[in-house]
Amino acid sequence: MRALLLVSLLLMGCTTRAQTPKATVRDFYHFYLTDFVSDGNENPLTSAKMQQYVAKETLTRLKAIQDIEEQEIVEADYFTYCQDYAAEWIPALEVGTARDDAGGKVLDVWLGIEGGKKLKLRDYLRQEDGNWKIYRVVDVSNGFEQNIFDDKAISAAKAHAATLSKN
């Protein structure tokens, strides 16, 4: 009987419950906004925390775009649509309820910004390696999306960067 109890406890300890989409987004933004306001992390795209919360394809694309000289695909931070962020705005973070969307989930996110205002984003998630991960972020407040999935724009930016290095 003790052996059965021990095996049951071991199995329960080894199985991890995947986070809900809402918990994933909430935890991501708490981590990311705190990291964003600090100067300690030069390239957050390669951090283990980013890999925990963000889809591999999204990180790969953002890194490739970041490496293009004078690119205009990502004009502000992809996850906040801001150039900078203040620590006092972090407590205003709100995450909405997850809704089904094309085999994944979509959630609205409200970030605190200057003047007590809020910026509304929409985060799209899909399951990857058994976990919910963010793969797309849209600025709903301004009706804008930094289209990191536009292969033609990325190719054009690379071609433009190549002409800069020749000069």
Side-chain angles (χ1 to χ4, degrees):
M1 186 67 162
R2 284 186 187 172
L4 183 60
L5 180 60
L6 182 59
V7 169
S8 296
L9 288 173
L10 286 172
L11 286 175
M12 286 190 324
C14 292
T15 58
T16 57
R17 224 176 90 211
Q19 281 195 304
T20 65
K22 183 173 183 168
T24 298
V25 171
R26 182 194 62 232
D27 292 352
F28 168 75
Y29 278 100
H30 277 290
F31 143 72
Y32 192 74
L33 293 175
T34 302
D35 196 57
F36 195 45
V37 299
S38 72
D39 295 328
N41 197 346
E42 288 183 27
N43 190 358
L45 296 178
T46 59
S47 77
K49 277 288 210 185
M50 290 297 283
Q51 294 171 24
Q52 177 183 340
Y53 295 116
V54 181
K56 289 174 191 164
E57 179 185 10
T58 302
L59 290 174
T60 299
R61 285 179 172 273
L62 287 170
K63 177 73 173 93
I65 291 167
Q66 183 181 59
D67 291 344
I68 302 171
E69 187 177 346
E70 295 193 34
Q71 60 81 24
E72 295 180 3
I73 298 165
V74 176
E75 298 173 13
D77 179 78
Y78 183 72
F79 299 101
T80 65
Y81 281 80
C82 297
Q83 294 292 336
D84 53 14
Y85 205 80
E88 59 268 18
W89 302 338
I90 295 172
L93 171 69
E94 291 180 41
V95 178
T97 304
R99 304 177 307 275
D100 291 335
D101 181 75
K105 299 289 183 183
V106 61
L107 297 93
D108 290 331
V109 176
W110 293 267
L111 300 181
I113 56 174
E114 71 277 346
K117 297 176 186 172
K118 293 202 177 217
L119 175 67
K120 183 178 180 182
L121 304 176
R122 186 158 291 142
D123 283 21
Y124 293 82
L125 290 83
R126 61 181 170 208
Q127 286 206 306
E128 185 177 285
D129 301 327
N131 297 303
W132 288 105
K133 296 198 178 188
I134 299 166
Y135 73 90
R136 179 177 167 214
V137 180
V138 175
D139 177 351
V140 176
S141 290
N142 297 300
F144 179 69
E145 179 175 5
Q146 299 180 93
N147 197 350
I148 67 167
F149 299 101
D150 185 341
D151 292 332
K152 288 181 183 176
I154 293 170
S155 293
K158 286 179 180 177
H160 174 71
T163 66
L164 296 175
S165 63
K166 291 178 183 177
N167 294 334

